[in-house]
Amino acid sequence: MMKKIYLDHSATTPLDKRVFEAMLPYLTEEFGNPSSLHGYGRSAKVALENARDKIAQMLNSKSNEIVFTAGGSEADNLAILGAAYSPQARGKHFITNRAEHHAVIHSFASLEKNGFEVTYVSCDQYGMVHPDDIAKAIRRDTALVSIMHANNEVGTINPIQEIGEIVRKNGALFHVDAVQAFGKIPIDVNQMNIDLLSMSAHKLYGPKGVGGLFVRSGVKLQPQILGGSQERGQRAGTENIAGVTGFGKAADLCRMEMTDESARLHSMQANLGKAICESISGTQLNGHPDLRLPGHLNVSFDGLMGDEILMMLDLKGIAVSTGSACTSGAVTISHVLKAMGFDDSRSRGAVRMTLGRSSEENDLPYIVDSIENCIEKMRSA
Ligand SMILES: *Cc1c(COP(=O)(O)O)cnc(C)c1O
């Protein structure tokens, strides 16, 4: 049988068996609606609040500052649109960066169409946002600044605490898309001056379609989903009890295993990057060399198309992703690599490899050999 190696943990992760076990009762016997007053409802309510406690513990926040959503995209939308349309909004000006996830970029595009003003600060060649640029862009009518904790394409970690200090000093709200960082690196919303923070369960071995937004006490958002008074009136709809239980369990496991797992992934990623660059000519590492997510690697192969490398590796059972997508013959280049100032050739040749719990050091030689083999074939063709 062909070896199967999953190197796309930044796209999604498999559900951890321990998470599945924790969810199972809430998909079967424990089916109550937490708004119901009888025993079924009360036990669902207990599960909901237990999950909330676990997420809060990860962030050093209060439990009642966590709003559950149907994933990271919804959390980003709620933070940005919810702050813009809030009666509390201080002004109509917003700041973000060009390398954000589309859930953030497209939320701001929608605001621009509706009469709001958005300043897009650039990032450096590593994909990092500089606090000075935020300080220069911030104004008295800036309602919110949104900067991601770690970039999903290149893995670079932004100086969130420093940016948070500037935003706090200037009286705007600070939103952080921490979907990639949550569960992988420590986050303290108080120390980092964060007012709003987005999370998603499926990026940390939890189920898909569940996430959350940390909303600092006192911050009032305009709800984006209207209906019942669930989630303290901030997000209507009967809660996904199995989902949030899985999310809580997944967060708990990350909290307990983070130190060891990130050390393991850091070293494996360094070894993989080094081996690829040593055995294959014309390679360049993308993203910050040190300030990056554990297990996150992004490499450009000179003169080649990332998409073609992806297809060839897929035939060998290795799953990676790219910085460009070829849709109906036209190549669209990643907005992240463009924002980093790369020429089209370096962007087109970019391949993202993200390691995770299933990755093992002794798979590295097979991975490197397979990539080397593909590249040789493509270059000689
Ligand atoms: C995956 C991701 C999202 C979207 O989360 P979903 O739960 O898939 O909607 C948002 N931001 C970043 C940085 C991501 O990596």
Side-chain angles (χ1 to χ4, degrees):
M1 226 188 51
M2 187 173 67
K3 225 179 155 78
K4 284 185 83 170
I5 296 179
Y6 185 72
L7 293 181
D8 204 9
H9 289 83
S10 284
T12 194
T13 54
L15 191 70
D16 190 293
K17 288 217 165 52
R18 297 166 291 179
V19 172
F20 175 70
E21 297 291 336
M23 291 172 70
L24 208 48
Y26 299 98
L27 292 162
T28 51
E29 311 91 68
E30 303 276 353
F31 59 85
N33 183 330
S35 299
S36 303
L37 298 177
H38 46 61
Y40 294 90
R42 286 197 308 272
S43 83
K45 176 84 177 159
V46 167
L48 176 65
E49 297 314 320
N50 279 343
R52 210 185 299 284
D53 291 346
K54 286 178 176 160
I55 304 300
Q57 195 180 349
M58 277 286 273
L59 298 174
N60 189 28
S61 76
K62 289 178 262 174
S63 271
N64 63 14
E65 293 175 313
I66 305 300
V67 177
F68 287 120
T69 65
S73 299
E74 189 194 316
D76 285 340
N77 278 250
L78 175 58
I80 296 162
L81 304 179
Y85 295 107
S86 166
Q88 244 184 13
R90 186 170 78 132
K92 296 191 111 187
H93 178 244
F94 291 76
I95 299 171
T96 190
N97 121 77
R98 291 188 193 284
E100 294 290 315
H101 190 274
H102 280 138
V104 167
I105 298 269
H106 291 167
S107 293
F108 281 117
S110 138
L111 288 185
E112 283 182 296
K113 277 200 203 108
N114 288 288
F116 293 86
E117 187 189 345
V118 182
T119 300
Y120 295 87
V121 300
S122 42
C123 56
D124 66 14
Q125 73 271 28
Y126 298 125
M128 190 177 285
V129 176
H130 288 266
D132 288 352
D133 291 331
I134 304 295
K136 274 183 221 139
I138 205 161
R139 315 193 309 214
R140 224 173 300 170
D141 63 339
T142 305
L144 172 131
V145 175
S146 177
I147 301 294
M148 70 203 315
H149 200 154
N151 186 277
N152 46 304
E153 283 193 41
V154 295
T156 300
I157 299 171
N158 279 316
I160 291 301
Q161 187 169 333
E162 288 86 335
I163 296 172
E165 274 167 30
I166 292 166
V167 178
R168 176 64 54 85
K169 215 170 56 204
N170 284 275
L173 292 177
F174 186 30
H175 168 242
V176 175
D177 175 341
V179 171
Q180 290 292 334
F182 184 76
K184 298 195 190 105
I185 55 177
I187 300 177
D188 182 324
V189 288
N190 296 319
Q191 194 188 333
M192 295 174 155
N193 300 302
I194 297 168
D195 298 301
L196 300 159
L197 179 134
S198 306
M199 303 160 272
S200 176
H202 77 95
K203 303 280 172 78
L204 55 137
Y205 308 90
K208 292 170 181 60
V210 195
L213 182 69
F214 157 75
V215 182
R216 182 171 292 287
S217 298
V219 175
K220 273 198 101 47
L221 301 177
Q222 178 65 32
Q224 299 298 302
I225 296 185
L226 307 176
S229 58
Q230 290 93 348
E231 301 299 286
R232 310 174 132 248
Q234 296 167 102
R235 202 275 185 188
T238 302
E239 303 86 341
N240 178 355
I241 300 301
V244 301
T245 299
F247 185 21
K249 179 68 181 182
D252 232 20
L253 292 172
C254 287
R255 187 171 54 78
M256 292 183 290
E257 297 170 3
M258 191 186 291
T259 312
D260 291 347
E261 183 63 357
S262 55
R264 190 181 79 92
L265 293 179
H266 254 309
S267 114
M268 219 188 302
Q269 153 231 309
N271 293 341
L272 180 59
K274 192 160 170 269
I276 291 173
C277 291
E278 277 170 4
S279 56
I280 306 168
S281 65
T283 49
Q284 284 171 289
L285 292 178
N286 301 323
H288 198 281
D290 311 309
L291 300 171
R292 54 187 304 103
L293 289 174
H296 198 298
L297 194 64
N298 190 308
V299 189
S300 282
F301 297 89
D302 285 357
L304 298 177
M305 289 282 304
D307 264 15
E308 286 175 31
I309 301 172
L310 180 155
M311 298 301 217
M312 282 184 80
L313 288 174
D314 190 41
L315 294 175
K316 292 175 184 286
I318 299 176
V320 300
S321 72
T322 63
S324 58
C326 185
T327 26
S328 54
V331 180
T332 52
I333 292 200
S334 141
H335 68 286
V336 175
L337 302 176
K338 199 177 262 176
M340 288 161 66
F342 290 4
D343 56 27
D344 284 1
S345 149
R346 184 166 175 182
S347 299
R348 274 197 299 267
V351 174
R352 178 181 77 173
M353 289 163 260
T354 45
L355 304 159
R357 279 186 198 156
S358 68
S359 310
E360 287 175 39
E361 186 81 34
N362 58 21
D363 286 333
L364 297 190
Y366 176 75
I367 297 170
V368 178
D369 277 358
S370 304
I371 298 175
E372 193 178 359
N373 191 274
C374 287
I375 303 298
E376 257 168 32
K377 267 197 203 141
M378 291 173 73
R379 287 210 170 126
S380 63

